[in-house]
């Protein structure tokens, strides 16, 4: 009889934990501000970069035309090196950025990515993800 009283709460605990698991992606309350920096140029900001995000992954998706393997993307303003992804849940994300540096007549493409973990402690706030890009 004593075993029943231990077994029933244990089953309830396991069901509650399984049902409360969330996957990375939209539907949450967090914001991740992605800032793009060129590590080949003294960590200079890369203004106007496009930032892509893959939910629930710490590695980039397989290469596709137009980066269609990513779940979302944003383009920074011409005078800014950052974009914000809002409404995210806690979890792992892979951010990838592409941009141009140099002059208008001789632009040079830079790209790169980083994994980012949005923790339980930051699930309702704002976090910053720095993305390092190179030539």
């Amino acid at each position: 009889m004593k075993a029943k009283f231990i077994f029933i709460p244990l089953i309830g605990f396991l069901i509650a934990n399984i049902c409360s698991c969330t996957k990375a992606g939209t539907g949450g309350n967090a914001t991740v501000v992605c800032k793009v920096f060129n590590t080949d140029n003294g960590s200079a900001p890369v203004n106007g970069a496009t930032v892509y995000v893959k939910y629930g992954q710490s590695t980039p998706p397989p290469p596709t035309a137009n980066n269609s393997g990513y779940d979302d993307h944003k383009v920074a303003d011409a005078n800014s090196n950052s974009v914000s992804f809002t409404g995210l849940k806690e979890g792992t994300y892979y951010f990838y950025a592409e941009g141009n540096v140099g002059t208008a007549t001789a632009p040079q493409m830079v790209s790169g990515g980083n994994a980012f973990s949005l923790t339980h402690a930051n699930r309702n706030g704002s976090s910053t993800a720095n993305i390092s890009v190179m030539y």
Side-chain angles (χ1 to χ4, degrees):
M1 186 69 160
K2 188 176 183 180
K4 277 186 182 177
F5 289 116
I6 293 173
F7 184 69
I8 292 171
L10 178 63
I11 294 296
F13 174 77
L14 291 173
I15 290 172
N17 279 332
I18 291 169
C19 293
S20 67
C21 293
T22 60
K23 290 185 175 183
T26 59
N29 297 319
T31 297
V32 176
V33 179
C34 298
K35 297 187 177 209
V36 183
F37 297 97
N38 181 0
T39 56
D40 286 332
N41 191 16
S43 294
V46 179
N47 295 336
T50 301
V51 179
Y52 299 86
V53 61
K54 183 67 178 171
Y55 304 143
Q57 214 166 288
S58 61
T59 57
T64 58
N66 300 319
N67 294 315
S68 62
Y70 288 90
D71 296 312
D72 196 3
H73 73 281
K74 307 253 176 150
V75 179
D77 290 336
N79 59 352
S80 175
N81 73 321
S82 67
V83 297
S84 295
F85 291 91
T86 59
L88 299 179
K89 296 178 187 177
E90 68 180 274
T92 302
Y93 297 85
Y94 187 82
F95 292 105
Y96 171 76
E98 292 180 337
N100 288 308
V101 296
T103 63
T105 56
Q108 293 180 296
M109 179 72 158
V110 291
S111 62
N114 296 86
F116 181 81
S117 291
L118 185 59
T119 64
H120 181 75
N122 294 327
R123 71 188 183 283
N124 292 316
S126 182
S127 302
T128 301
N130 292 325
I131 303 172
S132 302
V133 296
M134 296 185 263
Y135 298 111

